[in-house]
Amino acid sequence: MHKELLNKAIDTYGIKEQLLQTVEECAELIQAINKWRRAQNRESIKDAVDHLAEEAADVIIMTEQIKIMVGEPKINWWIEFKLQRLAERLEESGSVPEWKEKNMNRFERVE
């Protein structure tokens, strides 16, 4: 995802500022989720979904920068770890996802 542009943003604004911007974008996403929850009619639901998509895009852009800052392999390891944990919880609840069966041996800690 536009790695060169994201690197330029990190270099221009700095890690600290980009992390603070991530906090702001996450807060805006939380507000958009709450707006969506409160939406009552078709028009307000449509507006809420559009706003939710916009704010989610901002958060995704910022989390892509975090991937660059801390290292994509480390982030990917944690994603896989958390997906494995989710699969285990789903299995415990009686739902056996195919994902777990296909990906059981993929975990190798990345430092």
Side-chain angles (χ1 to χ4, degrees), residues 77-92:
W77 185 89
W78 279 107
I79 289 169
E80 293 296 324
F81 176 83
K82 293 194 178 261
L83 288 172
Q84 177 67 34
R85 190 170 63 187
L86 173 61
E88 290 168 1
R89 289 177 179 158
L90 290 171
E91 184 177 354
E92 289 169 7

Side-chain angles (χ1 to χ4, degrees), residues 8 11-12 23 32 36 44 51 76 80-81 86-88 94 97 108:
K8 186 172 183 176
D11 292 343
T12 300
V23 170
W36 172 82
S44 65
H51 187 63
N76 289 339
E80 293 296 324
F81 176 83
L86 173 61
E88 290 168 1
E108 232 178 84

Side-chain angles (χ1 to χ4, degrees), residues 10-106:
I10 295 165
D11 292 343
T12 300
Y13 302 114
I15 291 173
K16 181 179 177 184
E17 285 303 315
Q18 290 309 87
L19 290 174
L20 291 173
Q21 185 65 37
T22 303
V23 170
E24 184 178 320
E25 300 300 349
C26 287
E28 291 174 5
L29 178 59
I30 291 166
Q31 289 176 331
I33 292 167
N34 282 328
K35 180 180 177 184
W36 172 82
R37 262 187 0 170
R38 291 189 307 271
Q40 298 287 323
N41 58 53
R42 181 170 292 209
E43 190 62 30
S44 65
I45 291 169
K46 181 188 174 305
D47 290 345
V49 169
D50 288 345
H51 187 63
L52 181 61
E54 177 187 354
E55 297 306 335
D58 287 340
V59 169
I60 291 166
I61 290 167
M62 298 312 295
T63 55
E64 288 295 320
Q65 289 181 61
I66 291 173
K67 270 186 182 179
I68 293 167
M69 292 180 225
V70 302
E72 192 167 346
K74 186 177 292 262
I75 298 287
N76 289 339
W77 185 89
W78 279 107
I79 289 169
E80 293 296 324
F81 176 83
K82 293 194 178 261
L83 288 172
Q84 177 67 34
R85 190 170 63 187
L86 173 61
E88 290 168 1
R89 289 177 179 158
L90 290 171
E91 184 177 354
E92 289 169 7
S93 72
S95 173
V96 182
E98 290 180 27
W99 182 90
K100 182 178 179 184
E101 294 169 15
K102 291 179 184 174
N103 296 286
M104 214 35 205
N105 298 318
R106 290 182 56 195

